Amino acid sequence: MDDLKTFLIEKVLLFESDTLSPEAEKVLSQIRREKTDVPVVYVSSNSSSIIAGSEKTYNALKLFAEENEPGTVVIKVGCAGPANYEPVICIQMPGKNKLYFRNITEEKVEPLMNGVFHNDISEEDLIGQSGSKGFELWPGIDFLEDIPFFALQKRLVLGNCGCYDPGRIEEYIAVGGYRTYLKTIRHYTYDEVCDLIERSGLRGRSGGGYLTGLKWKQALNTPSNARYLICNAKESDPGAFSDRLVMESDPHRLIEGMAIAAYAIGSSNAILYLKAGSEHARAGIQNAIEQARDYGLLGHNIHSSGYNLDIVVRMEPGAFVCGEETALINSLEGKRGMPQLKPPYPTTAGLAGKPTVINNVETLMNVPLIMQNGPEWYRTIGTFSSPGTKIFALAGRGRFSGVIEVEMGTSLRTIVEDIADGIRDAREFKAVQIGGASGSFITSDDLDTQVDFDAMRRQGFSMGSGGFVVIDETSCIVDLVRYYMDFICKESCGKCIPCREGTGRMLEILENVIRKPANEDTGTTLERFRGVMQLETISSVMKDASLCGLGQNAPNPFVSALKNFREEFEEHIFDRKCRANVCRGLRTFIIDVEKCTGCTVCAGKCPVNAIYGTRLQPYFIVEDKCIGCGICYDVCKFSAVIVK
């Protein structure tokens, strides 16, 4: 192992020429397993994979290999993106293309492996094949690149995800890792790196879209004896999970991106600010840091370059507001995570009062690619004002879910109809919610909007951290707005009155709308209507007067929902009706006496004892006691329970 490390450092990492020696290429090819003499099985092993049972699949594959094919190698890799395919495995037979299979639980391992080893490929769980020249094709099997989910993506940041073992630095080096970083610190000045990133047009991927190179220059040009780089990996928006997948699948590229960014601003200290509860990601990142340190890529006087760098991991305290820059810095300093007035901005007075640059995971993952290929190359991808790609966490009611990466300029319609493959169960599309808890609802009328910071801003949308939730007709927009407002109300730090009181009042009004009033007089209806109208005034005040982005953007879901789905609000207020039958407080259940057999199942399951009757005789529901939970509707075998 030490011999391999020495070889990789001297013959690959520190090799000045762009063209490696034949000996080095041969070693790297072996590490990449480009031509293997034994079967190799790759098992996805990120958080979503583990939840789906990939650890049991891995153990079953190891057991099968030991008992049936002792030479078979089983390797854990990251996730390629499609979460509803987990656990995913890839089988590479000697001399043949790779085969990808979905939803391979432990009980499927033995029949699947026996079939592959005997050229009897089951198409039930087959995704497709992938390979290059020199390998034998599997006849009649589609290529991954031809499947719409992959074909319409532009995978730059996700390029390594699912392709190598993230627990081995040697495999990252074999796919070109860390060479760009060492070249940067040995041949470029701080200003030159900042200039290259600015020329590339890279914009922060956390939602604001501020020019990354310009941000770095502001910190670099602020006189100080110390500077800090912080990677904000606190991804806590409902429906967003892309940062975690990237960190678990390709931790070394994130370390490389952080190292280049730290060098560019003249910092010797970098901090990875990680979301609480991300233990799997933390273990992988910590292992990557230790391996980078072992290879001399971190520490003092890195490979005689004169540059020093240390990277540490810090866990956030579990508060949504700590994703805001100044609240994040407060929490790192041991204070309560509360936003501060700006200016001064962190780039001039941040952590410990020193210039501090805060970038998110996706932004930093782009940095090694730009430094390797040049800013002009990056400018050829995406749009003029928003070069590059954007990662989304695709969730909700689409037929596909997972993490995707599309070129800037791609329409939202392409994502919904082609990459997500439309709506599952042949239901009707209703909206897309982008931007997390403070995002907007986008209807079919605006689906042709491009994924572009400026184009989306002109339409009144925010790209946010990358949450992309597909909503169908079975969802109630009013209830979704209430859910997001409940989330924001609980996560408000309470420092400023507009946010603290505004979110609470908005939640109170929305909760009144989704349940029946105690009395049904006309004054109650008018009061409920006036409450919703009051929400617009509250929204305006919160946007203008809140201290940080949480309060300023909190009304966005309501504002966009009222604009696009006003009739649903009116139905809830005037008709006491939820068209999706989601709002429990507005549901009325009755029993059809013609269909009821008196089996007593519904009465036994009712949590509030609201169902009465005599066995083998029709039962009835006491409306005043019913809480609208719908359990009776779900358990009735005779379709006797009707919802109104």
Side-chain angles (χ1 to χ4, degrees):
M1 190 67 181
D2 288 338
D3 291 340
L4 177 60
K5 180 175 76 173
T6 302
F7 180 87
L8 290 176
I9 292 173
E10 294 179 354
K11 302 297 184 182
V12 179
L13 293 177
L14 298 178
F15 196 72
E16 293 292 340
S17 173
D18 292 336
T19 304
L20 297 176
S21 67
E23 179 187 15
E25 289 287 4
K26 181 179 179 181
V27 172
L28 297 182
S29 177
Q30 291 173 346
I31 296 174
R32 292 192 295 261
R33 303 179 189 86
E34 290 180 347
K35 293 184 179 180
T36 176
D37 297 327
V38 297
V40 180
V41 183
Y42 303 89
V43 186
S44 62
S45 185
N46 72 316
S47 292
S48 61
S49 313
I50 293 170
I51 292 171
S54 66
E55 288 295 307
K56 294 180 179 179
T57 301
Y58 175 80
N59 293 332
L61 285 165
K62 294 282 286 186
L63 182 62
F64 177 88
E66 291 172 3
E67 294 179 351
N68 301 277
E69 300 289 340
T72 302
V73 178
V74 183
I75 302 168
K76 291 182 179 179
V77 295
C79 175
N84 57 324
Y85 277 177
E86 299 292 356
V88 173
I89 73 169
C90 168
I91 303 175
Q92 182 178 10
M93 300 298 288
K96 293 189 175 183
N97 277 349
K98 296 178 179 178
L99 287 175
Y100 289 82
F101 297 89
R102 63 177 176 263
N103 308 128
I104 305 302
T105 51
E106 58 179 330
E107 63 271 10
K108 293 182 179 181
V109 167
E110 186 171 351
L112 173 66
M113 296 299 291
N114 280 327
V116 173
F117 277 106
H118 293 89
N119 280 339
D120 183 17
I121 309 299
S122 171
E123 295 187 3
E124 180 181 359
D125 298 312
L126 180 66
I127 302 175
Q129 65 175 314
S130 177
S132 56
K133 295 179 180 179
F135 293 91
E136 182 182 344
L137 300 177
W138 293 90
I141 297 178
D142 293 336
F143 278 84
L144 289 185
E145 296 80 6
D146 297 329
I147 299 174
F149 181 84
F150 293 102
L152 296 171
Q153 294 189 49
K154 183 78 172 181
R155 297 171 67 85
L156 300 181
V157 173
L158 300 181
N160 287 337
C161 295
C163 299
Y164 80 99
D165 180 356
R168 293 188 66 222
I169 190 173
E170 294 82 10
E171 296 201 19
Y172 181 66
I173 293 172
V175 295
Y178 289 120
R179 291 191 69 198
T180 300
Y181 161 54
L182 289 180
K183 179 182 177 181
T184 299
I185 65 175
R186 289 160 67 92
H187 298 287
Y188 290 94
T189 65
Y190 304 151
D191 290 300
E192 287 174 336
V193 179
C194 291
D195 284 336
L196 288 171
I197 298 301
E198 185 177 12
R199 282 166 46 199
S200 72
L202 175 65
R203 300 173 68 168
R205 296 301 197 252
S206 59
Y210 193 76
L211 278 173
T212 303
L214 190 58
K215 191 176 190 178
W216 291 4
K217 282 185 175 181
Q218 291 170 353
L220 178 63
N221 294 330
T222 301
S224 179
N225 60 353
R227 297 180 182 85
Y228 295 95
L229 174 87
I230 300 175
C231 173
N232 185 358
K234 182 187 165 25
E235 184 181 40
S236 50
D237 274 338
F241 48 90
S242 55
D243 283 357
R244 178 177 294 197
L245 179 142
V246 169
M247 287 187 290
E248 292 173 345
S249 301
D250 198 6
H252 284 286
R253 182 182 283 178
L254 177 58
I255 299 301
E256 185 173 12
M258 290 179 65
I260 295 173
Y263 175 79
I265 65 172
S267 170
S268 297
N269 297 280
I271 300 170
L272 178 64
Y273 189 76
L274 194 58
K275 181 182 178 181
S278 306
E279 295 304 326
H280 188 57
R282 179 177 185 172
I285 287 287
Q286 198 64 57
N287 178 63
I289 291 173
E290 294 303 323
Q291 289 181 344
R293 186 174 287 116
D294 184 50
Y295 268 69
L297 299 167
L298 299 175
H300 179 72
N301 192 22
I302 298 169
H303 289 296
S304 302
S305 65
Y307 178 56
N308 311 320
L309 177 63
D310 188 33
I311 297 178
V312 296
V313 179
R314 293 288 182 266
M315 302 296 287
E316 58 95 15
F320 176 74
V321 73
C322 286
E324 196 274 338
E325 290 184 329
T326 56
L328 183 158
I329 290 171
N330 275 345
S331 70
L332 285 176
E333 294 176 340
K335 304 172 186 175
R336 183 177 176 183
M338 300 178 76
Q340 302 295 319
L341 285 170
K342 294 183 286 188
Y345 293 95
T347 49
T348 56
L351 184 63
K354 306 296 182 181
T356 304
V357 167
I358 303 175
N359 291 130
N360 78 332
V361 172
E362 185 182 350
T363 305
L364 293 170
M365 291 288 287
N366 278 283
V367 172
L369 296 170
I370 295 171
M371 295 303 298
Q372 179 183 354
N373 299 294
E376 290 75 20
W377 163 82
Y378 196 72
R379 280 282 188 183
T380 64
I381 303 167
T383 64
F384 176 79
S385 62
S386 299
T389 60
K390 182 71 185 84
I391 292 179
F392 288 106
L394 188 60
R397 304 293 186 174
R399 294 189 62 216
F400 278 96
S401 61
V403 176
I404 64 171
E405 183 178 6
V406 297
E407 186 172 2
M408 289 286 193
T410 303
S411 71
L412 299 177
R413 188 178 303 278
T414 298
I415 297 176
V416 173
E417 296 182 356
D418 298 321
I419 298 178
D421 198 20
I423 310 301
R424 70 178 71 158
D425 301 326
R427 298 189 183 275
E428 290 294 323
F429 170 82
K430 193 169 191 175
V432 167
Q433 204 273 347
I434 294 181
S438 56
S440 302
F441 294 98
I442 301 174
T443 64
S444 57
D445 294 338
D446 294 314
L447 278 185
D448 291 318
T449 303
Q450 291 184 337
V451 177
D452 177 282
F453 288 105
D454 297 334
M456 295 188 72
R457 189 174 292 120
R458 285 193 295 270
Q459 294 293 104
F461 310 141
S462 172
M463 206 175 297
S465 59
F468 194 104
V469 183
V470 180
I471 302 167
D472 70 2
E473 60 186 328
T474 63
S475 300
C476 172
I477 293 295
V478 180
D479 184 63
L480 279 172
V481 174
R482 184 210 58 82
Y483 164 77
Y484 286 124
M485 190 53 59
D486 179 58
F487 176 84
I488 293 174
C489 182
K490 290 176 180 176
E491 295 296 341
S492 172
C493 73
K495 183 175 182 177
C496 66
I497 294 174
C499 178
R500 182 182 70 234
E501 300 299 328
T503 55
R505 179 58 180 151
M506 290 183 76
L507 176 62
E508 180 186 355
I509 293 171
L510 288 167
E511 286 184 335
N512 285 334
V513 169
I514 64 170
R515 63 171 180 259
K516 294 178 182 177
N519 53 65
E520 291 285 350
D521 59 37
T522 56
T524 302
T525 300
L526 180 60
E527 181 182 348
R528 285 152 58 91
F529 179 73
R530 288 174 61 187
V532 173
M533 293 303 100
Q534 188 183 41
L535 285 175
E536 295 182 287
T537 303
I538 296 173
S539 299
S540 177
V541 173
M542 288 178 64
K543 282 181 172 293
D544 292 338
S546 292
L547 180 64
C548 76
L550 185 144
Q552 293 165 5
N553 295 311
N556 288 349
F558 166 74
V559 172
S560 63
L562 188 63
K563 173 186 175 183
N564 295 302
F565 300 98
R566 180 176 287 267
E567 69 279 3
E568 286 199 33
F569 282 89
E570 293 175 351
E571 286 177 359
H572 281 69
I573 295 170
F574 297 111
D575 301 333
R576 315 290 195 266
K577 176 184 177 183
C578 173
R579 64 174 65 179
N581 281 325
V582 170
C583 299
R584 291 184 178 184
L586 296 179
R587 293 194 294 188
T588 299
F589 290 91
I590 60 174
I591 295 177
D592 186 340
V593 296
E594 298 295 330
K595 295 181 179 179
C596 181
T597 63
C599 68
T600 77
V601 172
C602 60
K605 295 291 185 179
C606 180
V608 293
N609 298 318
I611 303 177
Y612 291 87
T614 303
R615 184 177 177 82
L616 302 181
Q617 296 295 321
Y619 274 60
F620 65 93
I621 299 173
V622 179
E623 188 174 332
D624 290 342
K625 295 183 67 176
C626 178
I627 60 174
C629 65
I631 293 176
C632 55
Y633 180 86
D634 295 333
V635 300
C636 183
K637 299 179 181 179
F638 305 100
S639 301
V641 180
I642 302 170
V643 59
K644 295 179 64 177

